[in-house]
Amino acid sequence: MIYTVTFNPAVDYVMHTGALHPGMVNRSTAEEIYFGGKGINVSLVLAELGVKSVALGFVAGFTGLAIEQGVQASGVATDFIHLSSGFSRINVKLKSSEETELNGQGPRIDQSSLSQLFDRLDRLSEGDTLLLAGSIPSSLPQDIYPQMISRVSRSGVRVIVDASGELLLRVLPHHPFLVKPNHLELGELFQTELHSADEVARYAKKVQEMGARNVLVSMAGDGAVLLTEDGNLLQCGVCSGTVVNSVGAGDSMLAGFMAGLVHGDAAYALRLGTAAGGATAFSDGLARRALIAELLQQLGEKLFDSATG
Ligand SMILES: Nc1ncnc2c1ncn2[C@@H]1O[C@H](COP(=O)(O)OP(=O)(O)OP(=O)(O)O)[C@@H](O)[C@H]1O
Ligand SMILES: [Mg+2]
């Protein structure tokens, strides 16, 4: 089973407005609600692809219940821990001529709730995958990812980490199965900027030497590079389409990649990841199955039949 972790899930309240006037009453012309957080995004795209996962993490209050129900309604199993105080955050995204975001802080995660998460981790076993994605709330210890990896490492769980900066550096000595920085995040690790796929490949190798088993580096509109455990370097360009909103493209790529590994080899996983990332970049919300299948065809592959697994 694949388990995703979202420490601070959110209700994303998207409002479309005309010109925005601070200090005045502004009215929206249309609204949408999405349930999000990086781990949840990965679970939602996995569900689109017919791959089961369990979303772990923390929810609180009426917004937390809404997130839980909404995620379940999309076909994702949840095993969230319910915090006794506060409420899960609402992130307001104002779409006028430019995009303004107002992101909530979210509830405080107390020690006993955190230990419940570790109890959940103890149930994972060989063959399971644990996905850790994104930043962590300031109320948590900064070494929470390494702590979680240590907790599951003896049971042979595959750990995938999508994080940047110090969070990423700290997990590398624990030999995660896969890390997925984008090219900017990869450059930041080494206080440099990376301008070509060759440079990206060189720095991916350094990350592997620092402990990661497989390194997937996404490069937004320039595609992605995968350095595998056995030293193969694979590259994939992007699918063609019109970019609507690329937020969550990285999460979708990870979901496609993970689904691809369930049903094929690393090269297939890279292409399915690319199709899923593209499908999100070309859509309003997250990638949908039909578009992923269409984009995968551009890359010369067929989407697996989800009935077979
Ligand atoms: N403009 C684009 N055109 C086509 N494909 C894209 C585009 N942007 C992203 N993608 C696809 O999605 C993948 C992941 O995108 P990106 O590198 O932007 O991830 P990211 O920076 O981690 O995003 P996020 O953290 O917001 O989810 C890319 O490797 C590519 O395959
Ligand atoms: Mg990312």
Side-chain angles (χ1 to χ4, degrees), residues 38 162 180 185:
K38 284 187 165 291
D162 180 2
K180 194 219 71 74
E185 293 161 344

Side-chain angles (χ1 to χ4, degrees), residues 134-136 142 145-146 161-173 179-191 207 210:
S135 60
I136 54 173
Q142 289 305 299
Y145 278 175
V161 181
D162 180 2
S164 57
E166 192 64 26
L167 276 182
L168 176 53
L169 282 177
R170 282 176 195 249
V171 303
L172 296 177
V179 295
K180 194 219 71 74
N182 64 30
H183 61 300
L184 301 172
E185 293 161 344
L186 178 61
E188 274 165 24
L189 281 189
F190 302 94
Q191 289 93 42
V207 170
M210 289 159 77

